């Protein structure tokens, strides 16, 4: 009887260990972005932004860096993407964190703008419409499919970003000498950030294959 209990415990242990190993393996695998749009990315105060909500930031940053990479080495853009900026930090990693930091910054100012009843003026709306058209038109059909976000959802998100950034300028001029003090890397914004609750879904965010979301895998 003792032996039966012993082996039953061993079997349960092996099953549990196997389950934990499989879970650990899964947690290390990259997410397929267009299949993960509803996965929470970050919660700012009480509003949760999903991976899909960050689509514009991700696409815009990837495309901008790829253009820089082409200038650096047209034949092999991987060289630029793989450049080390400081110990343990590569361009790809730094850019991915910029995406997250900018999304948090814009969400804070968007919430503030909504609380203040702030809206875009006519000229700002016209400028936004041009940016929306240009951005979507510049994406190839393949890149649009990789992104996986509906056009209208992306346009709506770009409008929220425009409101946030314009309100940051207005707020910055009212509370500082220069509006840039409240930019994502501004000192006064860092103080403002401390007044808000920010929770990043780091385990899933780390699995987003930044650099391959709209650009695709260089190996494919």
């Amino acid at each position: 009887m003792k032996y039966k209990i012993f082996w039953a415990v061993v079997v349960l242990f092996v099953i549990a260990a196997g389950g934990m190993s499989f879970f650990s393996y899964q947690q290390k695998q990259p997410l397929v972005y267009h299949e993960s749009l509803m996965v929470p990315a970050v919660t700012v105060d009480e509003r949760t932004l999903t991976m899909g909500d960050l689509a514009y930031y991700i696409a815009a940053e990837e495309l901008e860096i790829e253009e820089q990479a082409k200038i650096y080495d047209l034949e092999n853009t991987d060289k630029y993407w793989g450049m080390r900026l400081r110990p343990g930090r590569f361009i790809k990693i730094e850019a991915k964190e910029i995406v997250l930091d900018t999304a948090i910054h814009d969400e804070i100012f968007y919430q503030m703008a909504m609380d203040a009843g702030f809206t875009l003026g006519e000229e700002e709306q016209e400028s936004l419409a041009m940016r929306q058209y240009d951005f979507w038109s510049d994406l190839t059909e393949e890149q649009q499919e990789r992104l996986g976000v509906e056009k209208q959802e992306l346009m709506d998100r770009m409008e929220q970003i425009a409101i946030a950034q314009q309100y940051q300028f207005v707020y910055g001029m009212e509370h500082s000498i220069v509006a840039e003090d409240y930019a994502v890397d501004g000192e006064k914004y860092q103080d403002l950030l401390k007044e808000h609750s920010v929770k990043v879904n780091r385990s899933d965010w780390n699995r987003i294959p930044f650099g391959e979301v709209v650009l695709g895998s260089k190996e494919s």
Side-chain angles (χ1 to χ4, degrees):
M1 184 65 179
K2 291 182 179 180
Y3 289 110
K4 289 183 179 180
I5 295 175
F6 171 77
W7 286 113
V9 171
V10 170
V11 170
L12 289 173
F13 175 79
V14 171
I15 292 174
M20 291 176 64
S21 297
F22 179 71
F23 177 76
S24 178
Y25 171 78
Q26 278 190 315
Q27 290 298 101
K28 295 178 181 178
Q29 296 303 299
L31 291 173
V32 178
Y33 182 77
H34 67 264
E35 296 177 356
S36 309
L37 300 179
M38 298 307 296
V39 174
V42 58
T43 299
V44 181
D45 295 327
E46 297 182 357
R47 187 180 182 200
T48 296
L49 301 180
T50 65
M51 298 298 177
D53 290 327
L54 273 58
Y56 169 76
Y57 300 100
I58 293 172
E61 192 72 9
E62 282 192 2
L63 293 171
E64 180 178 349
I65 293 176
E66 183 68 4
E67 288 304 308
Q68 296 171 0
K70 289 177 181 178
I71 295 173
Y72 184 78
D73 190 332
L74 183 61
E75 301 299 322
N76 185 5
T77 57
D78 281 345
K79 285 185 179 179
Y80 186 81
W81 279 93
M83 286 180 61
R84 189 190 301 270
L85 298 178
R86 52 195 173 96
R89 303 291 284 187
F90 296 88
I91 283 180
K92 180 180 292 189
I93 296 174
E94 292 285 354
K96 188 176 181 180
E97 288 306 299
I98 288 174
V99 164
L100 187 61
D101 291 343
T102 305
I104 293 169
H105 167 277
D106 290 350
E107 180 58 28
I108 288 174
F109 277 99
Y110 178 72
Q111 291 179 10
M112 291 170 63
M114 292 298 95
D115 290 342
F118 179 83
T119 58
L120 296 176
E122 185 176 343
E123 290 186 6
E124 294 155 357
Q125 290 177 347
E126 291 176 357
S127 177
L128 168 63
M130 291 178 61
R131 292 198 304 275
Q132 290 171 322
Y133 175 82
D134 289 343
F135 182 77
W136 186 257
S137 300
D138 287 344
L139 293 175
T140 66
E141 289 187 10
E142 188 176 5
Q143 289 172 339
Q144 292 172 5
E145 290 176 1
R146 289 198 193 106
L147 201 57
V149 179
E150 294 293 331
K151 178 181 178 181
Q152 190 56 52
E153 292 180 5
L154 194 64
M155 299 301 101
D156 291 344
R157 187 61 188 160
M158 288 182 70
E159 182 178 9
Q160 293 178 12
I161 293 170
I163 291 172
Q165 294 178 349
Q166 186 62 28
Y167 187 72
Q168 178 227 302
F169 177 80
V170 173
Y171 184 88
M173 293 302 292
E174 292 177 349
H175 293 79
S176 184
I177 298 176
V178 291
E180 286 73 15
D181 285 343
Y182 285 92
V184 67
D185 57 348
E187 183 177 347
K188 288 188 179 294
Y189 167 67
Q190 297 303 316
D191 293 334
L192 179 65
L193 180 61
K194 295 174 184 177
E195 300 175 11
H196 296 267
S197 171
V198 177
K199 297 179 181 178
V200 178
N201 178 8
R202 185 61 65 176
S203 60
D204 286 327
W205 176 247
N206 288 344
R207 297 170 64 197
I208 295 295
F210 183 78
E212 301 178 6
V213 173
V214 294
L215 297 178
S217 173
K218 301 297 178 65
E219 298 177 356
S220 59

